[in-house]
Amino acid sequence: SYVLTQPPSVSVAPGKTASITCGGSNIGSYSVHWYQQKPGQAPMLVISYDSDRPSGIPERFSGSNSGNTATLTISRVEAGDEADYYCQVWDGSGDHVIFGGGTKLTVL
Amino acid sequence: QVQLVESGGGLVKPGGSLRLSCAASGFTFSDSFMSWIRQAPGKGLEWVSYISISGRTIYYADSVKGRFTISRDSAKSSLYLHMNNLRAEDTAVYYCASFGGYGGSMYYWGQGTLVTVSS
């Protein structure tokens, strides 16, 4: 089965740029979605179809996907961005949804 | 506004059964694919099952296949998950979520309901 690999943690200083990666075999051929989950809350969609921002998501959030790595980039990081982030794809046959293991973003 | 409200969670013994419900409002439930996703305590997200708009297409994660049954009632704008033969490893917060179809993102999520399987 298809596996998505995320770093367990990423740390960044306020105002800097955070990059969270999601690795998978030829992931560039898949559409990748990203979710933010703050403690005690439900996940929230922040990027869909590799790089589309849903309404209400700040422009500081962006996504890219190529080769074996998809990346969620958060510019000008704020304390409120501290959360767990998950990438997600559909398997090739459309019968399973796959989540990455999640990355905890810490704002120093 | 959009709401997905899960209910039915609780404490159940191993081997027991439980039915979760998800009541939808504020969007066109009958035009939405629906899914259940769970999260064990301190762990990541795990997809459980999804159901198509018509209810004719259903898929399950291997970990729950044969034990869980997803269903929907568009007249009531509700999604269900019947869980049988529950195991300790099924302990998790269960979220319902909506999406547009195969390949799509989960754009609306409920707040979740906790299922604890323990003797």
Side-chain angles (χ1 to χ4, degrees), chain B residues 7 18-23 29 34-36 49 51 60 68-83 96:
Chain B
S7 60
L18 214 53
R19 187 185 87 152
L20 306 183
S21 300
C22 169
F29 179 84
M34 298 297 297
S35 185
W36 288 98
S49 177
I51 185 168
Y60 299 97
F68 289 13
T69 302
I70 191 172
S71 62
R72 65 188 295 160
D73 184 338
S74 288
K76 295 183 179 179
S77 293
S78 291
L79 176 73
Y80 306 101
L81 186 68
H82 298 254
M83 304 185 295
C96 64

Side-chain angles (χ1 to χ4, degrees), chain B residues 10-39:
Chain B
L11 175 63
V12 61
K13 289 182 167 55
S17 299
L18 214 53
R19 187 185 87 152
L20 306 183
S21 300
C22 169
S25 61
F27 69 102
T28 308
F29 179 84
S30 57
D31 286 345
S32 299
F33 284 63
M34 298 297 297
S35 185
W36 288 98
I37 298 107
R38 68 184 182 184
Q39 187 171 35

Side-chain angles (χ1 to χ4, degrees), chain A residues 31 33 35 37 40-45 47-49 84 86 88 90-101, chain B residues 33 35 37 39 43-47 50 59-62 65 95 99 101-107 109-112:
Chain A
S31 290
H33 313 296
Y35 303 88
Q37 186 181 32
Q41 297 185 18
M44 178 179 70
L45 179 67
I47 292 289
S48 63
Y49 295 102
D84 293 326
Y86 295 90
Q88 177 248 309
W90 287 74
D91 77 348
S93 58
D95 57 6
H96 277 65
V97 174
I98 301 161
F99 286 97
Chain B
F33 284 63
S35 185
I37 298 107
Q39 187 171 35
K43 302 297 185 182
L45 301 174
E46 179 189 14
W47 170 74
Y50 85 78
Y59 290 107
Y60 299 97
D62 293 344
K65 203 169 189 177
Y95 297 101
F99 61 102
Y102 164 65
S105 55
M106 312 283 174
Y107 43 77
W109 293 69
Q111 282 304 304

